[in-house]
Amino acid sequence: MSATEIEAYLDQVFPQLHYGGRTYFVEEVGKLSARMRCDYHEKHLRPGGTISGPTMMALADLALYVAILAQIGPVGLAVTTSLTYNFLRKPGQAALIAECQLLKLGKRLAVGEVRMFSAGESEMVCHATGTYSIPAER
């Protein structure tokens, strides 16, 4: 699936993702990879004016899902089985960029990592690893 096809699919099956306005965008997909952006918006802030952990967690999970869909097509029941997050530093007041690389894409499991940055910065703000279960019947 292309980035455009994935965004259309997500709009169809997860319309709640854009409740209150669209802030998550699929920037590109490639071989076993995806790049996503979450625009800076006050709905993603926590006390202290920084982007919240749940926002970063959602972006990482979504980036993994998008990278998988780009390879296997529209499989709605591919589901998260585990996610581990390491919050490394406070994100700036800018969009978040998530770069996902799948480490393994098998018939039933996909494993990947996500490196997250504040737009325009080179130091990671969050590192995540995750596993997805892929249903036998596609």
Side-chain angles (χ1 to χ4, degrees):
M1 295 177 77
S2 70
T4 303
E5 291 169 330
I6 293 170
E7 281 204 333
Y9 178 73
L10 293 174
D11 289 349
Q12 176 188 6
V13 297
F14 294 111
Q16 68 274 20
L17 181 64
H18 305 303
Y19 180 76
R22 180 182 295 270
T23 56
Y24 292 98
F25 299 89
V26 180
E27 290 198 332
E28 64 183 62
V29 294
K31 182 162 177 59
L32 301 175
S33 67
R35 178 181 165 102
M36 294 206 54
R37 183 182 81 250
C38 176
D39 282 348
Y40 183 82
H41 189 278
E42 66 182 25
K43 72 180 180 179
H44 297 304
L45 300 181
R46 66 174 306 268
T50 188
I51 297 174
S52 71
T55 298
M56 290 187 278
M57 294 163 82
L59 180 60
D61 190 25
L62 189 56
L64 280 163
Y65 187 57
V66 165
I68 293 165
L69 292 182
Q71 306 307 305
I72 67 172
V75 179
L77 294 179
V79 295
T80 311
T81 60
S82 72
L83 284 170
T84 302
Y85 300 92
N86 293 292
F87 300 103
L88 305 173
R89 60 190 39 82
K90 180 180 172 181
Q93 293 185 349
L96 288 175
I97 306 299
E99 297 174 350
C100 178
Q101 183 67 49
L102 297 180
L103 306 173
K104 175 191 175 178
L105 180 60
K107 290 181 182 178
R108 297 298 308 269
L109 290 177
V111 178
E113 73 169 346
V114 179
R115 298 166 51 93
M116 198 173 303
F117 304 86
S118 291
E121 299 293 327
S122 61
E123 293 189 357
M124 235 187 309
V125 297
C126 179
H127 180 263
T129 57
T131 303
Y132 263 71
S133 176
I134 300 168
E137 296 296 320
R138 294 189 204 176

